[in-house]
Amino acid sequence: MISGLVSREVPEQLIIALEPEAASIYCRKLRLHQMVDLASHNATQNGCSPTDNVGSGMTQAKENVRRNRQSRTFLVENVIGELWSELEEGDRYVVVDCGGGTVDLTVHQIRLPEGHLKELYKASGGPFGSLGIDYEFEKMLCKIFGQDFIDQFKIKRPAAWVDLMIAFESRKRAAAPDRTNPLNINLPFSFIDYYKKFRGHSVEHALRKSNIAVLQMNSFILIDICMYSHPSVDFVKWSSQGMLRMSPEAMNTLFKPTIDHIIQHLTDLFEKPEVSDIKFLFLVGGFAESSLLQLAVQNMLQGRSRIIIPHDVGLTILKGAVLFGLDPSIIKVRRSPLTYGVGVLNRFVEGKHPAEKLLVKDGTRWCTDVFDTFIAADQSVALGELVKRSYTPAKPSQQVIVIHVYCSEKEKASFISEPGVRKCGTLRLDVSGTESAAPRREIQTLMQFGDTEIRAMAVDVSTGRTVKASIDFLSQ
């Protein structure tokens, strides 16, 4: 099992929590002193005033969290946050988990009186996390110093490359819509030294030479130049203290592709019929601290939903996962992200099944590779909902039944050989010790899809004995 956390004999000791759900569960507990409401007219109660920009609001919010130790004890409080008291039966909200690698979105609906949650739209997202900004910074360095040099520097001086990216990480956190001062990024001495040996001239020379080239790095930079009306701005300069000096426009430009991806995904989400009348949008995850992202989301929503940001955005998922562990039944209805099924033989039907799938066995005509669907993509599944199937061993003496599990992003699949259908696991039924006098041994399999994990159990119908069942997804 995973890192020896649990034994194979007692796998139930480990519960998998889905990140967007964990964030959603945490947001249920928010008290007014634990959040920033970007759309509130009384935002001064939550750490920022209407005249402050969103970045300064988050800075003040962090200070409030340090001062108010009550926020650290919320996990043991059996209460619902004040924000939650504003929600009514059927109200909907979106959680946007903005991490380093990905941004994940989920839509939940309130079910009263217990306050359980129903997933309205399957969790979605993409590789639009804050690492995208690091990639843009690396592209900029390649444009200035050359792709060949950067590739070699990462290989020959890996520790210095890490130091450079850490320095950039600290400075990118200071990017803000209204910033006017440049941002200085310390260049490691080994970068300066290795570049001179590699090219034969200084880093400063490379920066002077590339001033115009940097402006043409890609089309979105040209757009931003027009936006700021600074066509001759020197985006990146050399500081005599041995630093890269980036103008605020240059830093903000590095954010633009990543933020544009997030906003486009949010825009597409809000156009779906099941994502209408959203009351709140919760921004969580480390990237949610970015005031550039916050402003972009505000501009996209145009007041259609209130934007809520927990003070401790980086710990939102961790705390939510703890809450989920205390009560895994809080999510009552989920949406299946994929279509799941198994490959089976069905009676061949002339005109319905393709001729190449015909298999004649003992005088019987069978259709091979049939995709027997258990659950379809985007289908609502209640917690604990079971899908039943019956199987028969090919031979009376058979000890193990092996069934391959397949999945597809498509809602409907007819055959396991179709494009996009892939084998994702193996269902093994141990039928040893269940022999009976019945002419036909029927093994009834029950598979549970409504939880965060797919579970399987099986029963020998003739004897009533439980058959050991397991699904192995890790070997695929």
Side-chain angles (χ1 to χ4, degrees), residues 4-305:
L5 291 176
V6 295
S7 65
R8 292 186 179 275
E9 291 73 27
V10 194
E12 295 79 10
Q13 289 179 326
L14 179 66
I15 300 176
I16 294 176
L18 306 180
E19 290 190 3
E21 288 186 359
S24 179
I25 293 168
Y26 169 79
C27 291
R28 298 174 73 246
K29 291 281 188 178
L30 283 178
R31 315 298 294 272
L32 290 179
H33 66 270
Q34 295 173 319
M35 67 183 189
V36 174
D37 185 348
L38 297 186
S40 174
H41 295 294
N42 300 316
T44 49
Q45 299 175 17
N46 305 322
C48 70
S49 67
T51 57
D52 290 336
N53 65 52
V54 287
S56 63
M58 286 301 296
T59 301
Q60 182 62 41
K62 292 178 186 176
E63 180 63 25
N64 289 349
V65 169
R66 283 193 288 269
R67 293 176 181 176
N68 194 340
R69 299 302 179 186
Q70 291 178 350
S71 63
R72 295 192 176 186
T73 63
F74 88 100
L75 287 175
V76 296
E77 298 175 5
N78 188 23
V79 297
I80 297 297
E82 291 99 331
L83 189 68
W84 202 256
S85 64
E86 299 182 32
L87 294 171
E88 300 175 350
E89 173 73 34
D91 278 350
R92 305 171 177 188
Y93 65 92
V94 174
V95 176
V96 184
D97 173 20
C98 307
T102 63
V103 171
D104 300 306
L105 291 75
T106 190
V107 184
H108 280 147
Q109 186 176 45
I110 309 302
R111 300 179 69 184
L112 298 177
E114 297 88 356
H116 292 144
L117 304 177
K118 175 182 179 181
E119 187 178 26
L120 286 183
Y121 183 75
K122 65 179 181 180
S124 61
F128 318 134
S130 60
L131 286 178
I133 304 161
D134 298 346
Y135 297 148
E136 292 299 321
F137 177 65
E138 183 176 338
K139 284 167 58 179
M140 186 192 74
L141 293 179
C142 290
K143 192 67 179 180
I144 297 173
F145 302 107
Q147 178 79 50
D148 54 344
F149 166 73
I150 296 298
D151 289 344
Q152 281 299 307
F153 181 72
K154 286 160 62 174
I155 295 172
K156 300 293 186 181
R157 304 287 191 275
W161 174 256
V162 171
D163 289 340
L164 174 57
M165 296 310 295
I166 290 174
F168 173 71
E169 173 71 23
S170 65
R171 300 313 299 147
K172 79 179 183 183
R173 292 175 181 270
D178 56 353
R179 186 182 180 93
T180 56
N181 298 328
L183 297 104
N184 294 324
I185 301 170
N186 186 46
L187 275 182
F189 173 76
S190 59
F191 185 100
I192 300 170
D193 181 62
Y194 191 72
Y195 182 78
K196 182 153 188 169
K197 293 177 181 177
F198 192 89
R199 290 280 188 241
H201 54 255
S202 67
V203 165
E204 183 180 5
H205 173 81
L207 283 164
R208 284 199 309 268
K209 184 179 178 182
S210 66
N211 273 340
I212 297 177
V214 171
L215 296 180
Q216 299 173 339
M217 185 168 62
N218 45 41
S219 59
F220 68 82
I221 288 185
L222 296 178
I223 294 172
D224 276 2
I225 294 171
C226 298
M227 183 187 306
Y228 291 105
S229 300
H230 293 306
S232 60
V233 167
D234 292 334
F235 268 46
V236 185
K237 295 182 178 179
W238 174 250
S239 166
S240 58
Q241 289 78 30
M243 298 181 179
L244 290 179
R245 177 163 292 173
M246 295 185 65
S247 69
E249 293 86 356
M251 181 64 80
N252 294 356
T253 294
L254 299 183
F255 279 73
K256 192 174 188 301
T258 300
I259 291 179
D260 281 354
H261 278 302
I262 297 173
I263 296 304
Q264 184 59 55
H265 195 73
L266 270 173
T267 301
D268 295 341
L269 180 70
F270 271 73
E271 289 177 352
K272 299 184 181 298
E274 58 265 55
V275 189
S276 59
D277 300 323
I278 298 296
K279 195 161 189 176
F280 295 108
L281 183 144
F282 293 99
L283 270 180
V284 302
F287 193 20
E289 295 183 17
S290 167
S291 55
L292 291 170
L293 176 59
Q294 294 169 12
L295 181 61
V297 174
Q298 280 184 297
N299 291 338
M300 187 276 290
L301 287 177
Q302 293 292 310
R304 286 179 291 172
S305 304

Side-chain angles (χ1 to χ4, degrees), residues 429-464:
L429 305 178
D430 186 350
V431 298
S432 59
T434 61
E435 292 80 4
S436 70
R440 181 177 179 271
R441 294 176 63 195
E442 180 183 351
I443 308 297
Q444 188 177 75
T445 304
L446 300 91
M447 300 186 70
Q448 189 179 70
F449 287 87
D451 210 335
T452 55
E453 304 168 74
I454 298 177
R455 305 174 187 272
M457 60 197 83
V459 175
D460 188 322
V461 175
S462 61
T463 64

Side-chain angles (χ1 to χ4, degrees), residues 219-456:
S219 59
F220 68 82
I221 288 185
L222 296 178
I223 294 172
D224 276 2
I225 294 171
C226 298
M227 183 187 306
Y228 291 105
S229 300
H230 293 306
S232 60
V233 167
D234 292 334
F235 268 46
V236 185
K237 295 182 178 179
W238 174 250
S239 166
S240 58
Q241 289 78 30
M243 298 181 179
L244 290 179
R245 177 163 292 173
M246 295 185 65
S247 69
E249 293 86 356
M251 181 64 80
N252 294 356
T253 294
L254 299 183
F255 279 73
K256 192 174 188 301
T258 300
I259 291 179
D260 281 354
H261 278 302
I262 297 173
I263 296 304
Q264 184 59 55
H265 195 73
L266 270 173
T267 301
D268 295 341
L269 180 70
F270 271 73
E271 289 177 352
K272 299 184 181 298
E274 58 265 55
V275 189
S276 59
D277 300 323
I278 298 296
K279 195 161 189 176
F280 295 108
L281 183 144
F282 293 99
L283 270 180
V284 302
F287 193 20
E289 295 183 17
S290 167
S291 55
L292 291 170
L293 176 59
Q294 294 169 12
L295 181 61
V297 174
Q298 280 184 297
N299 291 338
M300 187 276 290
L301 287 177
Q302 293 292 310
R304 286 179 291 172
S305 304
R306 288 171 61 185
I307 303 172
I308 306 297
I309 307 175
H311 287 174
D312 46 356
V313 288
L315 296 177
T316 298
I317 292 171
L318 174 62
K319 292 184 175 182
V322 174
L323 289 170
F324 177 74
L326 296 173
D327 182 15
S329 66
I330 189 65
I331 308 291
K332 287 295 184 183
V333 179
R334 290 183 172 89
R335 294 268 183 168
S336 176
L338 300 169
T339 295
Y340 291 96
V342 298
V344 298
L345 290 174
N346 275 356
R347 294 277 186 171
F348 189 86
V349 179
E350 202 72 43
K352 176 183 177 182
H353 295 142
E356 63 269 18
K357 299 294 183 183
L358 174 63
L359 172 67
V360 180
K361 188 174 182 180
D362 298 330
T364 304
R365 292 158 59 88
W366 298 96
C367 180
T368 63
D369 297 339
V370 175
F371 190 104
D372 183 18
T373 301
F374 284 173
I375 186 171
D378 205 30
Q379 177 181 334
S380 291
V381 188
L383 182 65
E385 186 172 325
L386 296 173
V387 177
K388 297 181 181 180
R389 291 290 188 276
S390 293
Y391 301 103
T392 302
K395 300 177 182 178
S397 60
Q398 192 169 339
Q399 301 294 301
V400 177
I401 301 176
V402 178
I403 304 167
H404 296 303
V405 182
Y406 296 85
C407 64
S408 173
E409 294 183 0
K410 297 186 297 183
E411 186 177 340
K412 293 182 180 180
S414 300
F415 300 97
I416 62 174
S417 55
E418 291 180 5
V421 177
R422 61 183 177 87
K423 185 169 70 172
C424 61
T426 301
L427 174 62
R428 302 179 66 87
L429 305 178
D430 186 350
V431 298
S432 59
T434 61
E435 292 80 4
S436 70
R440 181 177 179 271
R441 294 176 63 195
E442 180 183 351
I443 308 297
Q444 188 177 75
T445 304
L446 300 91
M447 300 186 70
Q448 189 179 70
F449 287 87
D451 210 335
T452 55
E453 304 168 74
I454 298 177
R455 305 174 187 272

